[in-house]
Amino acid sequence: GENVEQHPSTLSVQEGDSAVIKCTYSDSASNYFPWYKQELGKGPQLIIDIRSNVGEKKDQRIAVTLNKTAKHFSLHITETQPEDSAVYFCAASPRYSSASKIIFGSGTRLSIRP
Amino acid sequence: SAVISQKPSRDICQRGTSLTIQCQVDSQVTMMFWYRQQPGQSLTLIATANQGSEATYESGFVIDKFPISRPNLTFSTLTVSNMSPEDSSIYLCSVTRTGENTEAFFGQGTRLTVV
C-alpha cells in the first residue's frame, strides 16, 4: 500500500520568511496530493491540493510542487504570519473517487517566531 | 463542502468500559471514514464505513475492538470497546466528496482519555 513520508517533523521560521515542507510517496498509482492544516483542538482542514497532471499550483502565499518521476511533493509558504503556526500534513490518495483512502504523512509542526 | 458534527467532543473514561462516538454529516455520502490520531502523531485510518454493508478495517484494527455502525447515508458511530490507556487518542470522522477534486472533510474530533 501507499506510504507517505514527511519532513521535517518540526520547523521554526521567523515571521515573514518562507517555510518549506517536503513529502515523498511510494505508490506510483497515487494521483491526488492534498495538504492539511490542523490547529489545536480542531480537525484537519484542506489548504491546497494538486493532481498528478499538474507540476505546480499556487494560492496566494501557499504553493505546492509535484515531481511524479521522483515521487515527491512540497508545500511552500511565503511571507509567513503568526496564524500559519499549526501542524501541517501532506497526504496521498491512490484513486480518484469518493471511495479513495487518504494516506497521511507524519506531520510537521510549524512555529512562526515573531 | 460538508459539515461534520462529532459527539462527544471529549471524554474521560475508565479502563474496561466502552465509548460510542457519533458522526453526523449535513448531506448524504457514500463512504465515511474513521481515523485515530494518537498524541502528537499523524492520522491513521481505522476503517471505511459503507452504508448497508460491513465496515472495512485496516491492518491492526478489528471489529471486536472498534465496532462501527452505518445505519444511513448521513450518520455513523464508532465504538471503542474494552478501553485501555493505550486507546487515549483523538478519533476523527471523515467524508470525501468527488467533484473537480476529491476533498476530505473532517469533524472536529473526539478527544478520548482512558484512565
Side-chain angles (χ1 to χ4, degrees):
Chain A
E2 177 64 277
N3 181 51
V4 178
E5 296 189 354
Q6 181 174 349
H7 59 94
S9 57
T10 60
L11 179 61
S12 178
V13 301
Q14 193 73 36
E15 182 178 351
D17 288 350
S18 296
V20 180
I21 302 171
K22 298 182 178 181
C23 291
T24 61
Y25 63 99
S26 62
D27 189 347
S28 57
S30 290
N31 57 8
Y32 176 63
F33 307 92
W35 286 86
Y36 290 87
K37 177 182 181 181
Q38 186 176 28
E39 297 175 318
L40 193 63
K42 297 183 179 179
Q45 286 203 309
L46 179 74
I47 55 171
I48 194 168
D49 54 23
I50 191 168
R51 288 184 287 170
S52 59
N53 59 349
V54 175
E56 184 175 358
K57 183 177 178 180
K58 189 173 182 180
D59 182 4
Q60 299 182 335
R61 297 188 294 109
I62 295 174
V64 58
T65 59
L66 171 66
N67 183 326
K68 278 213 62 139
T69 303
K71 294 184 191 163
H72 64 71
F73 55 115
S74 301
L75 177 71
H76 305 251
I77 305 175
T78 58
E79 302 173 21
T80 53
Q81 300 170 5
E83 53 265 36
D84 294 330
S85 294
V87 179
Y88 291 81
F89 293 97
C90 63
S93 182
R95 282 187 302 144
Y96 191 69
S97 76
S98 61
S100 297
K101 298 176 187 177
I102 295 181
I103 308 301
F104 286 84
S106 53
T108 297
R109 183 173 298 277
L110 175 63
S111 300
I112 308 300
R113 303 190 303 271
Chain B
S1 66
V3 177
I4 303 172
S5 300
Q6 270 186 247
K7 292 180 181 179
S9 59
R10 59 177 61 227
D11 207 343
I12 301 173
C13 300
Q14 295 290 325
R15 67 176 67 200
T17 62
S18 298
L19 175 72
T20 296
I21 303 167
Q22 298 179 6
C23 179
Q24 179 76 50
V25 188
D26 66 342
S27 57
Q28 294 183 344
V29 293
T30 304
M31 295 287 188
M32 296 179 76
F33 303 85
W34 286 98
Y35 287 83
R36 181 175 73 183
Q37 187 176 26
Q38 294 177 304
Q41 302 297 314
S42 185
L43 287 79
T44 301
L45 183 63
I46 297 171
T48 303
N50 191 9
Q51 194 268 336
S53 64
E54 291 283 334
T56 302
Y57 289 82
E58 297 299 305
S59 176
F61 297 97
V62 295
I63 187 171
D64 289 347
K65 176 67 176 177
F66 297 101
I68 288 171
S69 78
R70 183 78 201 276
N72 57 53
L73 291 172
T74 63
F75 187 78
S76 179
T77 67
L78 170 76
T79 299
V80 186
S81 303
N82 188 24
M83 288 183 285
S84 66
E86 292 72 34
D87 294 321
S88 297
S89 289
I90 299 173
Y91 292 86
L92 293 142
C93 171
S94 173
V95 303
T96 56
R97 285 278 169 76
T98 300
E100 182 178 347
N101 294 309
T102 299
E103 181 174 347
F105 300 92
F106 288 86
Q108 82 280 11
T110 296
R111 183 179 294 273
L112 170 62
T113 303
V114 183
V115 297

Coordinates of all heavy atoms in Angstrom, one line a residue, chain A residues 32 34 36 38 40-46 49 51 57 87 89 93 95-107 109, chain B residues 30-31 33 35 37 40-45 48 56 58 90 92 96-109 111:
Chain A
Y32 N -3.5 12.1 -6.4 CA -4.1 13.3 -5.8 C -3.3 13.5 -4.5 O -3.1 12.6 -3.7 CB -5.5 13.0 -5.5 CG -6.2 14.1 -4.8 CD1 -6.3 15.4 -5.3 CD2 -6.8 13.9 -3.5 CE1 -6.9 16.4 -4.6 CE2 -7.4 14.9 -2.8 CZ -7.5 16.2 -3.4 OH -8.1 17.2 -2.7
P34 N -3.2 16.1 -1.4 CA -3.7 17.3 -0.6 C -2.8 17.6 0.6 O -2.0 16.7 1.0 CB -5.1 16.8 -0.1 CG -4.9 15.3 0.1 CD -3.9 14.9 -1.0
Y36 N -3.0 19.4 4.5 CA -4.0 19.8 5.5 C -3.3 20.6 6.6 O -2.1 20.3 6.9 CB -4.6 18.5 6.1 CG -5.6 17.9 5.2 CD1 -5.1 16.9 4.3 CD2 -6.9 18.2 5.2 CE1 -6.0 16.3 3.4 CE2 -7.8 17.5 4.3 CZ -7.3 16.6 3.4 OH -8.2 16.0 2.6
Q38 N -3.8 21.6 10.6 CA -4.5 21.3 11.8 C -4.1 22.2 12.9 O -3.0 22.2 13.4 CB -4.3 19.8 12.2 CG -5.2 19.4 13.4 CD -5.1 17.9 13.7 OE1 -4.0 17.3 13.5 NE2 -6.1 17.3 14.3
L40 N -4.8 23.6 16.9 CA -5.1 22.9 18.2 C -6.6 22.7 18.5 O -7.3 23.7 18.4 CB -4.4 23.7 19.3 CG -4.3 23.0 20.7 CD1 -3.4 21.8 20.5 CD2 -3.7 24.0 21.7
G41 N -7.0 21.5 18.8 CA -8.3 21.2 19.1 C -9.3 21.1 17.9 O -10.5 21.1 18.1
K42 N -8.8 21.1 16.7 CA -9.6 21.1 15.5 C -9.2 19.9 14.6 O -8.1 19.4 14.7 CB -9.5 22.4 14.8 CG -10.0 23.6 15.5 CD -9.9 24.8 14.6 CE -10.4 26.1 15.4 NZ -10.3 27.3 14.6
G43 N -10.1 19.5 13.8 CA -9.8 18.5 12.8 C -9.0 19.2 11.6 O -9.0 20.4 11.5
P44 N -8.3 18.4 10.8 CA -7.5 18.9 9.7 C -8.4 19.6 8.7 O -9.5 19.2 8.4 CB -6.9 17.6 9.1 CG -7.0 16.6 10.2 CD -8.2 16.9 10.9
Q45 N -7.9 20.6 8.1 CA -8.6 21.4 7.1 C -7.7 21.5 5.8 O -6.5 21.8 5.9 CB -8.9 22.8 7.5 CG -10.1 22.8 8.6 CD -10.8 24.1 8.6 OE1 -10.1 25.1 8.7 NE2 -12.1 24.2 8.5
L46 N -8.3 21.2 4.7 CA -7.6 21.3 3.4 C -7.2 22.7 3.1 O -8.0 23.6 3.2 CB -8.5 20.8 2.3 CG -7.9 20.8 0.9 CD1 -6.8 19.6 0.8 CD2 -9.0 20.6 -0.2
D49 N -4.3 21.5 -2.8 CA -4.1 20.2 -3.3 C -3.6 20.3 -4.7 O -3.6 21.3 -5.3 CB -5.4 19.4 -3.2 CG -6.5 20.0 -3.9 OD1 -6.3 20.9 -4.8 OD2 -7.7 19.7 -3.5
R51 N -3.1 17.7 -8.4 CA -3.3 16.4 -9.0 C -2.1 16.1 -9.9 O -1.3 16.9 -10.2 CB -4.5 16.5 -9.9 CG -5.8 16.5 -9.1 CD -7.0 16.4 -10.0 NE -7.2 17.7 -10.7 CZ -8.1 17.9 -11.7 NH1 -8.8 16.9 -12.1 NH2 -8.3 19.1 -12.2
K57 N 1.1 24.4 -8.2 CA -0.2 25.1 -8.0 C 0.1 26.1 -6.9 O 0.7 25.9 -6.0 CB -1.3 24.1 -7.6 CG -2.6 24.7 -7.5 CD -3.6 23.6 -7.1 CE -5.0 24.2 -6.9 NZ -6.0 23.1 -6.6
V87 N 0.0 22.4 12.8 CA 0.6 21.2 12.3 C 0.1 21.0 10.8 O -1.1 21.1 10.6 CB 0.2 20.0 13.2 CG1 0.8 18.7 12.6 CG2 0.7 20.2 14.6
F89 N -0.1 18.5 7.4 CA 0.1 17.1 7.0 C 0.0 17.1 5.5 O -0.9 17.7 4.9 CB -1.1 16.3 7.5 CG -1.1 16.1 9.0 CD1 -1.8 16.9 9.8 CD2 -0.3 15.1 9.6 CE1 -1.8 16.7 11.2 CE2 -0.3 14.9 11.0 CZ -1.0 15.7 11.8
S93 N -3.5 10.1 -2.2 CA -4.7 9.3 -2.5 C -4.5 8.5 -3.7 O -4.2 9.0 -4.8 CB -5.9 10.2 -2.6 OG -7.1 9.4 -2.8
R95 N -6.5 6.6 -5.5 CA -7.6 6.6 -6.5 C -8.4 7.9 -6.5 O -8.5 8.5 -5.5 CB -8.5 5.4 -6.3 CG -7.9 4.1 -6.7 CD -8.9 3.0 -6.7 NE -9.5 2.8 -5.3 CZ -10.7 2.5 -5.1 NH1 -11.6 2.3 -6.1 NH2 -11.2 2.4 -3.9
Y96 N -8.9 8.2 -7.7 CA -9.6 9.4 -7.8 C -11.1 9.1 -7.8 O -11.8 9.1 -8.8 CB -9.2 10.0 -9.2 CG -9.7 11.5 -9.4 CD1 -9.2 12.5 -8.6 CD2 -10.7 11.8 -10.3 CE1 -9.6 13.8 -8.8 CE2 -11.1 13.1 -10.5 CZ -10.5 14.1 -9.7 OH -10.9 15.4 -9.9
S97 N -11.6 8.8 -6.6 CA -13.1 8.6 -6.4 C -13.5 8.8 -5.0 O -12.6 9.0 -4.1 CB -13.3 7.1 -6.8 OG -12.9 6.3 -5.8
S98 N -14.7 8.8 -4.7 CA -15.2 9.1 -3.4 C -14.8 7.9 -2.4 O -14.9 8.1 -1.2 CB -16.7 9.3 -3.4 OG -17.4 8.1 -3.8
A99 N -14.4 6.8 -3.0 CA -14.0 5.7 -2.1 C -12.5 5.7 -1.8 O -12.0 4.8 -1.2 CB -14.4 4.4 -2.8
S100 N -11.9 6.8 -2.2 CA -10.4 6.9 -2.0 C -10.0 6.9 -0.6 O -10.6 7.6 0.2 CB -9.9 8.1 -2.7 OG -10.1 8.1 -4.1
K101 N -9.0 6.2 -0.2 CA -8.4 6.3 1.1 C -7.4 7.5 0.9 O -6.8 7.7 -0.1 CB -7.7 5.1 1.5 CG -8.5 3.9 1.6 CD -7.7 2.7 2.0 CE -8.5 1.4 2.0 NZ -7.7 0.2 2.2
I102 N -7.2 8.2 2.0 CA -6.2 9.2 2.0 C -5.2 8.8 3.1 O -5.5 8.6 4.2 CB -6.8 10.6 2.4 CG1 -7.7 11.0 1.2 CG2 -5.7 11.6 2.6 CD1 -8.4 12.4 1.4
I103 N -3.9 8.7 2.6 CA -2.8 8.3 3.5 C -2.0 9.5 3.9 O -1.5 10.2 3.0 CB -1.9 7.2 2.8 CG1 -2.8 6.1 2.2 CG2 -0.8 6.7 3.7 CD1 -3.6 5.3 3.2
F104 N -1.9 9.7 5.2 CA -1.3 10.9 5.7 C 0.2 10.7 6.0 O 0.7 9.6 6.4 CB -2.0 11.4 6.9 CG -3.3 12.0 6.7 CD1 -4.4 11.1 6.5 CD2 -3.5 13.3 6.6 CE1 -5.7 11.7 6.3 CE2 -4.7 13.9 6.3 CZ -5.8 13.1 6.2
G105 N 1.0 11.8 5.8 CA 2.3 11.9 6.3 C 2.3 12.1 7.8 O 1.2 12.2 8.4
S106 N 3.5 12.1 8.4 CA 3.6 12.1 9.9 C 3.4 13.5 10.5 O 3.3 13.6 11.7 CB 5.0 11.6 10.3 OG 6.0 12.3 9.6
G107 N 3.3 14.5 9.6 CA 3.0 15.9 10.2 C 4.3 16.7 10.4 O 5.3 16.2 10.7
R109 N 5.2 20.2 12.6 CA 4.7 21.3 13.5 C 5.5 22.6 13.1 O 6.7 22.7 13.3 CB 5.0 20.9 14.9 CG 4.4 22.0 15.9 CD 4.5 21.5 17.4 NE 3.7 20.3 17.6 CZ 2.5 20.3 17.9 NH1 1.8 21.5 18.0 NH2 1.8 19.2 18.1
Chain B
T30 N -21.5 8.5 0.4 CA -21.4 7.0 0.3 C -20.5 6.4 1.3 O -20.8 5.5 2.0 CB -20.9 6.7 -1.1 OG1 -21.7 7.3 -2.1 CG2 -20.8 5.2 -1.3
M31 N -19.3 7.0 1.4 CA -18.3 6.5 2.3 C -18.1 7.4 3.5 O -18.0 8.6 3.4 CB -17.0 6.3 1.6 CG -17.0 5.3 0.5 SD -17.1 3.6 1.2 CE -16.9 2.7 -0.4
F33 N -15.3 7.6 6.9 CA -14.0 7.1 7.3 C -13.8 7.4 8.8 O -14.1 8.6 9.2 CB -12.8 7.7 6.5 CG -13.0 7.4 5.0 CD1 -13.7 8.3 4.2 CD2 -12.4 6.3 4.4 CE1 -13.8 8.1 2.8 CE2 -12.5 6.1 3.0 CZ -13.2 7.0 2.3
Y35 N -10.7 7.8 11.6 CA -9.3 7.8 11.8 C -9.0 7.9 13.3 O -9.8 8.4 14.1 CB -8.7 9.1 11.2 CG -8.7 9.1 9.7 CD1 -9.8 9.4 8.9 CD2 -7.5 8.7 9.0 CE1 -9.7 9.4 7.5 CE2 -7.4 8.7 7.6 CZ -8.5 9.1 6.9 OH -8.4 9.1 5.5
Q37 N -5.9 9.5 15.8 CA -4.7 10.4 15.9 C -4.2 10.3 17.3 O -4.7 10.9 18.2 CB -5.1 11.8 15.5 CG -3.8 12.7 15.4 CD -4.2 14.1 14.9 OE1 -5.3 14.6 15.1 NE2 -3.2 14.7 14.3
G40 N 0.3 13.7 19.4 CA 1.5 14.2 18.6 C 1.8 13.4 17.4 O 2.8 13.5 16.8
Q41 N 0.8 12.6 16.9 CA 1.1 11.7 15.8 C 0.2 12.1 14.6 O -0.6 13.0 14.7 CB 0.8 10.2 16.2 CG 1.6 9.7 17.3 CD 3.1 9.7 17.0 OE1 3.5 9.3 15.9 NE2 3.9 10.2 17.9
S42 N 0.4 11.3 13.5 CA -0.4 11.6 12.3 C -1.8 10.8 12.4 O -2.1 10.2 13.5 CB 0.3 11.1 11.1 OG -0.4 11.4 9.9
L43 N -2.5 10.9 11.4 CA -3.8 10.3 11.3 C -3.7 8.9 10.7 O -3.1 8.7 9.7 CB -4.8 11.1 10.5 CG -5.3 12.4 11.1 CD1 -4.3 13.5 10.9 CD2 -6.6 12.8 10.4
T44 N -4.2 7.9 11.4 CA -4.2 6.5 10.9 C -5.6 6.1 10.7 O -6.5 6.2 11.5 CB -3.6 5.6 12.0 OG1 -2.2 6.1 12.2 CG2 -3.5 4.2 11.5
L45 N -5.9 5.6 9.5 CA -7.2 5.1 9.1 C -7.6 3.8 9.9 O -6.8 2.8 9.9 CB -7.3 4.8 7.6 CG -8.6 4.4 7.1 CD1 -9.7 5.5 7.3 CD2 -8.5 4.1 5.6
T48 N -13.3 2.0 6.9 CA -14.1 2.6 6.0 C -15.5 2.1 6.2 O -15.7 0.9 6.1 CB -13.7 2.4 4.5 OG1 -12.3 2.9 4.4 CG2 -14.5 3.2 3.6
T56 N -15.0 -1.9 6.5 CA -13.7 -2.5 6.1 C -12.6 -1.9 6.9 O -12.4 -0.7 7.0 CB -13.4 -2.1 4.6 OG1 -14.5 -2.6 3.8 CG2 -12.1 -2.8 4.2
E58 N -8.7 -1.6 8.5 CA -7.3 -1.5 8.1 C -6.5 -2.5 9.0 O -7.0 -2.9 10.0 CB -6.8 -0.1 8.2 CG -7.4 0.9 7.3 CD -7.3 0.6 5.9 OE1 -6.1 0.4 5.4 OE2 -8.3 0.5 5.2
I90 N -7.2 11.0 19.7 CA -8.3 11.8 19.1 C -8.9 10.9 18.0 O -8.1 10.3 17.2 CB -7.8 13.1 18.5 CG1 -7.3 14.0 19.6 CG2 -9.0 13.8 17.8 CD1 -6.6 15.2 19.1
L92 N -11.4 10.7 14.7 CA -11.9 11.7 13.7 C -12.7 10.9 12.7 O -12.4 9.9 12.2 CB -10.7 12.4 13.0 CG -9.9 13.3 13.9 CD1 -8.5 13.3 13.5 CD2 -10.4 14.8 13.7
T96 N -15.5 12.0 2.1 CA -14.9 12.6 0.9 C -16.0 12.9 -0.1 O -17.0 12.3 -0.2 CB -13.9 11.6 0.2 OG1 -14.6 10.4 0.0 CG2 -12.7 11.3 1.2
R97 N -15.7 14.0 -0.9 CA -16.5 14.4 -2.0 C -15.7 14.4 -3.2 O -14.6 14.9 -3.3 CB -17.0 15.8 -1.7 CG -18.1 15.9 -0.7 CD -19.5 15.6 -1.3 NE -20.5 15.4 -0.2 CZ -21.0 16.4 0.5 NH1 -20.7 17.6 0.2 NH2 -21.9 16.2 1.4
T98 N -16.3 13.8 -4.3 CA -15.6 13.8 -5.6 C -16.3 14.8 -6.5 O -17.5 14.7 -6.8 CB -15.6 12.4 -6.2 OG1 -15.0 11.5 -5.3 CG2 -14.9 12.5 -7.5
G99 N -15.6 15.8 -6.9 CA -16.0 16.8 -7.9 C -14.9 17.0 -8.8 O -14.3 16.1 -9.4
E100 N -14.4 18.2 -8.8 CA -13.2 18.5 -9.5 C -12.0 17.9 -8.8 O -11.1 17.4 -9.4 CB -13.0 20.1 -9.6 CG -11.7 20.4 -10.4 CD -11.5 21.9 -10.5 OE1 -12.5 22.7 -10.2 OE2 -10.5 22.4 -10.9
N101 N -12.1 17.8 -7.5 CA -11.1 17.2 -6.7 C -11.8 16.3 -5.7 O -12.9 16.5 -5.4 CB -10.2 18.2 -6.0 CG -9.4 19.0 -7.0 OD1 -8.7 18.5 -7.8 ND2 -9.5 20.3 -6.8
T102 N -11.0 15.4 -5.2 CA -11.5 14.5 -4.1 C -11.0 15.2 -2.8 O -9.9 15.1 -2.4 CB -11.0 13.1 -4.2 OG1 -11.4 12.5 -5.4 CG2 -11.5 12.3 -3.0
E103 N -11.9 15.9 -2.1 CA -11.6 16.6 -0.9 C -12.1 15.8 0.3 O -13.3 15.4 0.3 CB -12.1 18.0 -0.9 CG -11.7 18.8 0.3 CD -12.1 20.2 0.3 OE1 -12.5 20.7 -0.8 OE2 -12.1 20.9 1.3
A104 N -11.3 15.7 1.3 CA -11.7 15.0 2.6 C -12.1 16.1 3.6 O -11.4 17.1 3.7 CB -10.6 14.1 3.1
F105 N -13.2 15.9 4.2 CA -13.7 16.8 5.3 C -13.7 16.1 6.6 O -14.0 14.9 6.6 CB -15.1 17.3 5.0 CG -15.2 18.0 3.7 CD1 -15.6 17.4 2.5 CD2 -15.0 19.4 3.6 CE1 -15.7 18.0 1.3 CE2 -15.1 20.1 2.4 CZ -15.5 19.4 1.2
F106 N -13.3 16.8 7.6 CA -13.1 16.1 8.9 C -14.0 16.8 9.9 O -14.3 18.0 9.9 CB -11.7 16.2 9.4 CG -10.7 15.3 8.6 CD1 -10.1 15.8 7.5 CD2 -10.4 14.1 9.1 CE1 -9.3 14.9 6.8 CE2 -9.6 13.2 8.5 CZ -9.0 13.7 7.3
G107 N -14.5 16.0 10.9 CA -15.1 16.5 12.1 C -14.1 17.1 13.0 O -12.8 17.0 12.7
Q108 N -14.5 17.7 14.1 CA -13.5 18.3 15.0 C -12.8 17.3 15.9 O -11.8 17.7 16.5 CB -14.2 19.4 15.8 CG -14.9 18.9 17.1 CD -16.3 18.3 16.8 OE1 -16.7 18.1 15.6 NE2 -17.1 18.0 17.8
G109 N -13.3 16.1 15.8 CA -12.6 15.0 16.6 C -13.2 14.8 18.0 O -13.9 15.7 18.5
R111 N -11.7 13.8 21.6 CA -10.5 13.5 22.4 C -10.9 12.6 23.5 O -11.6 12.9 24.4 CB -10.0 14.9 22.9 CG -8.7 14.7 23.7 CD -8.2 16.1 24.2 NE -7.8 16.9 23.1 CZ -6.6 16.9 22.5 NH1 -5.7 16.2 22.9 NH2 -6.4 17.8 21.5

